[in-house]
């Protein structure tokens, strides 16, 4: 296995016992986009949080490895892990309305980490922020830098968060449902922007979403998650041509296609759910939980 | 333009508040039993003596007439003459104001330092025994009123381990020739550290007694809003940037979490000023509160009125300052 982010047999549980992620393995190659799809509650966001070290306190990692840039994050001390993540990875959050600090101006929210964590000078950091705001097509970047979040629209804020994520040239970006909270009209633009930025900067991207349509547009590879278990991992084309797992097939036929948006959709059938539930139970039995 | 309008509205409401307070105090202290003239005269005074004094102080007129006369004086800065001390009320009250202001501000500072530290510690070590300790001590501090804390402190630091002065504002032996009654601030400006130490020695216990309940309120509320803020997305995002817990709490969460606490501290600070009345009595501290109790005992109506109006003015000023701070700290209100 080679890749910039390698997750092996990652198991996450609630401290009270129940399993959230069941021995998840996945691989994001350098410069590639890996989609992580599943219905809500499947644990897809938890994978991102586990990598970034922002799991809720009620959850804990009970097994597995997370290799980022050749280092097993879980073998580091908490402080070392934090610095490592801060220097090599970044997050594009789900809701741009809550992800910017309401009492701080935009400028410092982009530049502070460059100055504090990476030791840039103030001038260099500000120049970099301006450059990135231009890159994400924000008009009047200098004025926006002095604005407070509440003065900007949701789409603008998401652009700012994208610019901020790319500011330190991370090797890995985790985008956690980055378009879910936006207007449908803005969604497309933001999606295109993320894809452009990823291609230009050559960043590895872990794209968490429940929308297979979105995945088909931006991803190279993908993992399908059900109840905290990866049921299928595939390259994009193969997945859409010949999905192997019956749950993947059911998911695909439940997704409206862009070519024929009014075509008939099939809900995921009970038989498929039973099948995949049985698989999860079998996994749990084998893992002795 | 809107700013000017806001200020005008604010001044107008302040004025209405003060007049309302004046009317209530004026009527209430004249309706309750107890004759100020009877308190002044020795036993055995004749009816004629009483009538003469009644006329001299205007108590023979109706309450409404008295109020109009008093208000007329107030408009010209004349708050009447104290019956018991036989001096102009304005001078007496303003002379005592600095002592009470210094005590209240000192108490507020102690409360903010203690309460803030407890809140930050409780958040930093949340869901551990440290947070439990913060909760328990805040609960205990709140369940005991300030004057009882005063007695406890006197017992501890005045009797068992006498390190602080238990009464007065300043040692009489100390030679000070200050221009103002703001001893603390003047000593600070003049770098008179001997005076400063003496003042703190006197002020510490009454200020701490006033501060403990407020500190507990600050600790509980600030910790609660900090903990809620810690779950928000921008805090999580800051963590992924490589910032540690301390930075995340003080730089990301605190500026936002402090807003609800600020409002409450404003309200509670006015209660604290009210609390000085009893605490100053307990520690024989020569402030407004102590004077207020004497004024009530002596039925010194003009003095009571003057003190109450001044307290009311203080409360409105505190509220105004809190509102202004709120706008400074919350950018979302700045353009509104």
């Amino acid at each position: 296995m080679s890749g910039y982010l390698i997750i092996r047999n990652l198991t996450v549980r609630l401290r009270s016992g129940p399993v959230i992620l069941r021995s998840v393995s996945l691989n994001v190659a350098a410069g590639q986009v890996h989609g992580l799809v599943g219905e809500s509650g499947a644990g897809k966001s938890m994978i991102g949080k586990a990598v970034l070290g922002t799991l809720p306190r009620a959850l804990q990692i009970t097994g597995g490895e997370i290799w980022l840039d050749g280092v097993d994050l879980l073998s580091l001390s908490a402080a070392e892990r934090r610095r490592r993540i801060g220097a090599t990875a970044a997050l594009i959050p789900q809701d741009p309305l809550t992800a910017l600090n309401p009492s701080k101006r935009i400028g410092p929210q982009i530049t502070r980490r460059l100055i504090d964590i990476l030791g840039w000078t103030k001038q260099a950091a500000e120049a970099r922020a301006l450059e990135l705001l231009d890159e994400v097509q924000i008009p009047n970047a200098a004025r926006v830098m002095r604005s407070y979040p509440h003065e900007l629209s949701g789409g603008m804020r998401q652009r700012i968060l994208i610019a901020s994520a790319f500011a330190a040239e991370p090797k890995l970006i985790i985008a956690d449902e980055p378009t879910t909270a936006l207007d449908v009209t803005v969604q497309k633009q933001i999606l295109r922007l993320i894809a452009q930025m990823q291609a230009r900067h050559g960043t590895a991207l872990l794209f968490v979403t429940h929308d297979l349509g979105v995945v088909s547009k931006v991803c190279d590879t993908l993992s399908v998650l059900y109840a905290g278990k990866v049921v299928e991992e595939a390259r994009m084309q193969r997945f859409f041509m010949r999905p192997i797992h019956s749950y993947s097939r059911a998911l695909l036929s439940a997704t409206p296609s862009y070519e024929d948006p009014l075509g008939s959709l099939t809900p995921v059938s009970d038989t498929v759910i039973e099948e995949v539930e049985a698989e999860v139970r079998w996994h749990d039995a084998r893992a002795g939980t | 333009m809107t700013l000017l309008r806001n200020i005008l509205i604010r001044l107008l409401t302040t004025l209405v508040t003060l007049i309302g307070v004046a009317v209530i105090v004026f009527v209430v202290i004249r309706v309750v039993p107890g004759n100020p003239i009877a308190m002044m005269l020795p036993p055995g005074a004749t009816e004629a003596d009483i009538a003469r004094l009644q006329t001299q102080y205007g108590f023979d007129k109706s309450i409404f007439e008295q109020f109009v006369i008093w208000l007329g004086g107030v408009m010209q800065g004349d708050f009447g003459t104290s019956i018991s001390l036989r001096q102009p009320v304005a001078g007496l009250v303003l002379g005592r104001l600095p002592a009470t202001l210094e005590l209240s501000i000192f108490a507020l500072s102690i409360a903010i330092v203690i309460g803030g530290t407890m809140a930050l510690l409780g958040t930093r070590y949340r869901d551990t025994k440290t947070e439990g300790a913060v909760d328990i001590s805040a609960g205990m501090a709140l369940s005991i009123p300030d004057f009882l804390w005063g007695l406890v402190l006197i017992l501890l630091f005045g009797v068992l381990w006498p390190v602080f002065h238990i009464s007065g504002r300043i040692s009489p032996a100390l030679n000070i020739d200050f221009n103002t009654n703001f001893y603390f601030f003047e000593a600070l400006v003049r770098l008179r550290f001997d005076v400063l130490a003496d003042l703190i020695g006197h002020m510490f216990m009454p200020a701490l007694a006033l501060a403990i309940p407020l500190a507990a309120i600050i600790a509980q509320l600030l910790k609660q809003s900090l903990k809620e803020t810690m779950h928000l997305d921008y805090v999580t995002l800051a963590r992924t940037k490589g910032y540690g817990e301390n930075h995340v709490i003080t730089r990301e969460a605190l500026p936002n979490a402090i807003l609800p606490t600020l409002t409450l501290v404003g309200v509670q600070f006015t209660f604290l000023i009210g609390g000085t009345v009893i605490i100053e009595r307990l520690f024989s501290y020569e402030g407004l509160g102590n004077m207020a109790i004497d004024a009530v005992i002596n039925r010194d109506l003009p003095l009571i009125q003057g003190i109450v109006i001044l307290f009311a003015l203080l409360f409105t000023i505190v509220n105004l300052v809190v509102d202004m701070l709120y706008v400074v700290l919350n950018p979302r209100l700045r353009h509104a």
Side-chain angles (χ1 to χ4, degrees):
Chain A
M1 254 168 104
S2 74
Y4 191 72
L5 172 69
I6 302 165
I7 298 176
R8 275 192 201 140
N9 304 325
L10 179 68
T11 302
V12 169
R13 286 164 181 275
L14 275 168
R15 286 185 200 278
S16 53
V19 191
I20 304 297
L21 292 179
R22 299 177 147 84
S23 195
V24 166
S25 296
L26 61 83
N27 190 0
V28 188
Q32 295 275 297
V33 184
H34 187 84
L36 199 50
V37 291
E39 48 195 82
S40 44
K44 51 193 190 304
S45 284
M46 291 307 145
I47 295 178
K49 289 189 201 298
V51 173
L52 293 170
T54 56
L55 280 177
R57 288 182 162 223
L59 298 181
Q60 70 186 132
I61 296 172
T62 54
E65 296 161 14
I66 300 174
W67 292 81
L68 180 65
D69 197 22
V71 179
D72 182 8
L73 291 178
L74 301 183
S75 69
L76 302 176
S77 75
E80 275 179 285
R81 191 193 319 175
R82 207 176 55 226
R83 271 196 296 277
R84 185 107 208 134
I85 291 164
T88 53
L91 169 72
I92 299 175
Q94 176 171 10
D95 187 354
L97 298 186
T98 56
L100 287 165
N101 192 326
S103 66
K104 290 181 171 178
R105 292 175 197 276
I106 298 299
Q109 299 203 44
I110 303 175
T111 58
R112 281 319 307 183
R113 68 162 338 171
L114 300 177
I115 300 165
D116 294 343
I117 309 287
L118 304 171
W120 291 32
T121 64
K122 191 161 180 270
Q123 287 76 11
E126 271 169 10
R128 174 77 177 144
L130 279 173
E131 184 189 317
L132 274 157
L133 288 180
D134 279 339
E135 211 179 318
V136 296
Q137 295 139 38
I138 285 183
N140 255 327
R143 192 179 53 79
V144 169
M145 293 263 285
R146 289 191 303 273
S147 305
Y148 285 98
H150 70 274
E151 299 167 326
L152 305 166
S153 71
M156 283 275 262
R157 291 192 225 182
Q158 192 59 294
R159 282 170 194 274
I160 288 162
L161 287 161
I162 291 167
S164 178
F166 281 93
E169 289 291 353
K171 297 286 176 44
L172 171 74
I173 286 182
I174 296 178
D176 186 3
E177 306 239 15
T179 58
T180 311
L182 299 170
D183 279 347
V184 183
T185 44
V186 186
Q187 277 185 4
K188 266 189 169 175
Q189 299 169 14
I190 294 294
L191 202 59
R192 199 179 307 132
L193 180 68
I194 293 176
Q196 277 170 7
M197 293 289 283
Q198 184 274 333
R200 198 179 305 147
H201 293 259
T203 320
L205 180 61
L206 182 62
F207 200 101
V208 179
T209 180
H210 61 263
D211 190 342
L212 271 177
V214 166
V215 167
S216 69
K217 294 199 153 172
V218 293
C219 297
D220 302 306
T221 52
L222 92 167
S223 301
V224 180
L225 212 63
Y226 184 87
K229 188 180 183 316
V230 175
V231 294
E232 179 156 4
E233 187 173 8
R235 291 202 63 79
M236 215 53 230
Q237 256 177 327
R238 202 276 282 149
F239 181 80
F240 278 90
M241 308 276 286
R242 289 176 285 114
I244 292 172
H245 200 278
S246 52
Y247 179 70
S248 308
R249 280 200 295 274
L251 217 53
L252 269 177
S253 51
T255 306
S257 82
Y258 278 88
E259 288 72 37
D260 182 16
L262 298 175
S264 65
L265 299 177
T266 324
V268 179
S269 71
D270 289 349
T271 4
V272 172
I273 295 293
E274 267 165 41
E275 195 179 320
V276 68
E277 288 280 1
E279 206 173 306
V280 167
R281 277 198 300 277
W282 177 78
H283 171 271
D284 284 355
R286 202 185 50 166
T289 47
Chain B
M1 198 55 222
T2 48
L3 184 72
L4 195 71
R5 222 182 105 232
N6 285 343
I7 292 174
L8 277 176
I9 291 175
R10 199 61 197 235
L11 285 175
L12 212 66
T13 48
T14 305
L15 198 67
V16 172
T17 309
L18 291 180
I19 292 176
V21 169
V23 170
I24 292 170
V25 175
F26 211 89
V27 172
V28 166
I29 58 178
R30 276 167 179 75
V31 169
V32 293
N35 186 342
I37 303 300
M39 304 291 292
M40 291 171 68
L41 292 170
T46 63
E47 288 290 323
D49 289 338
I50 293 176
R52 192 172 49 75
L53 274 171
Q54 292 265 21
T55 323
Q56 187 189 325
Y57 282 96
F59 293 135
D60 53 339
K61 297 190 175 68
S62 73
I63 291 181
F64 180 73
E65 276 175 288
Q66 289 183 44
F67 185 72
V68 170
I69 293 167
W70 179 77
L71 200 63
V74 167
M75 293 299 175
Q76 297 159 33
D78 175 14
F79 282 78
T81 306
S82 159
I83 298 174
S84 55
L85 301 167
R86 297 193 166 78
Q87 287 175 41
V89 168
L92 283 171
V93 169
L94 290 179
R96 285 290 186 97
L97 176 66
T100 297
L101 274 186
E102 285 187 349
L103 179 65
S104 309
I105 294 171
F106 194 57
L108 179 67
S109 315
I110 295 177
I112 290 173
V113 170
I114 296 178
T117 310
M118 281 169 72
L120 288 172
L121 278 177
T123 310
R124 177 70 182 80
Y125 301 104
R126 56 194 177 282
D127 308 322
T128 67
K129 280 180 184 156
T130 310
E131 192 191 356
V134 167
D135 286 339
I136 290 171
S137 41
M140 273 170 49
L142 262 181
S143 55
I144 300 175
D146 49 11
F147 58 89
L148 268 182
W149 278 117
L151 291 174
V152 170
L153 290 173
I154 289 179
L155 197 64
L156 285 179
F157 300 116
V159 180
L160 292 178
W161 185 40
V163 282
F164 294 112
H165 300 279
I166 56 166
S167 83
R169 185 182 180 200
I170 191 160
S171 301
L174 215 58
N175 178 29
I176 56 163
D177 46 351
F178 282 1
N179 297 326
T180 67
N181 280 340
F182 286 98
Y183 292 163
F184 192 85
F185 293 106
E186 193 162 345
L188 211 59
V189 172
R190 292 183 177 216
L191 303 175
R192 286 283 301 272
F193 294 112
D194 55 330
V195 180
L196 221 49
D198 187 72
L199 284 169
I200 292 175
H202 281 94
M203 234 180 349
F204 186 76
M205 283 202 290
L208 189 59
L210 288 166
I212 287 173
L214 181 55
I217 293 173
I218 294 176
Q220 283 184 334
L221 187 74
L222 185 58
K223 179 165 74 68
Q224 190 55 39
S225 41
L226 271 172
K227 281 179 72 180
E228 280 164 19
T229 311
M230 293 304 283
H231 293 298
L232 298 183
D233 289 349
Y234 57 82
V235 175
T236 307
L237 189 63
R239 287 182 200 284
T240 69
K241 291 179 178 177
Y243 288 114
E245 192 72 9
N246 292 342
H247 178 104
V248 165
I249 292 174
T250 55
R251 299 295 170 79
E252 297 288 335
L254 187 61
N256 297 294
I258 208 160
L259 292 172
T261 311
L262 181 70
T263 315
L264 188 89
V265 168
V267 176
Q268 291 293 328
F269 183 52
T270 56
F271 287 142
L272 186 151
I273 296 176
T276 58
V277 174
I278 293 173
I279 290 293
E280 283 180 5
R281 192 62 167 190
L282 193 60
F283 287 90
S284 308
Y285 186 89
E286 295 110 23
L288 266 185
N290 214 342
M291 184 183 254
I293 292 181
D294 285 332
V296 170
I297 291 172
N298 294 325
R299 298 280 183 273
D300 192 340
L301 303 191
L303 191 54
I304 297 175
Q305 283 152 212
I307 292 171
V308 172
I309 294 289
L310 193 62
F311 269 124
L313 189 64
L314 271 182
F315 290 0
T316 49
I317 291 174
V318 168
N319 284 331
L320 190 67
V321 170
V322 168
D323 286 356
M324 274 159 35
L325 271 179
Y326 211 85
V327 175
V328 171
L329 291 178
N330 188 351
R332 274 166 292 189
L333 291 179
R334 227 168 277 167
H335 308 287

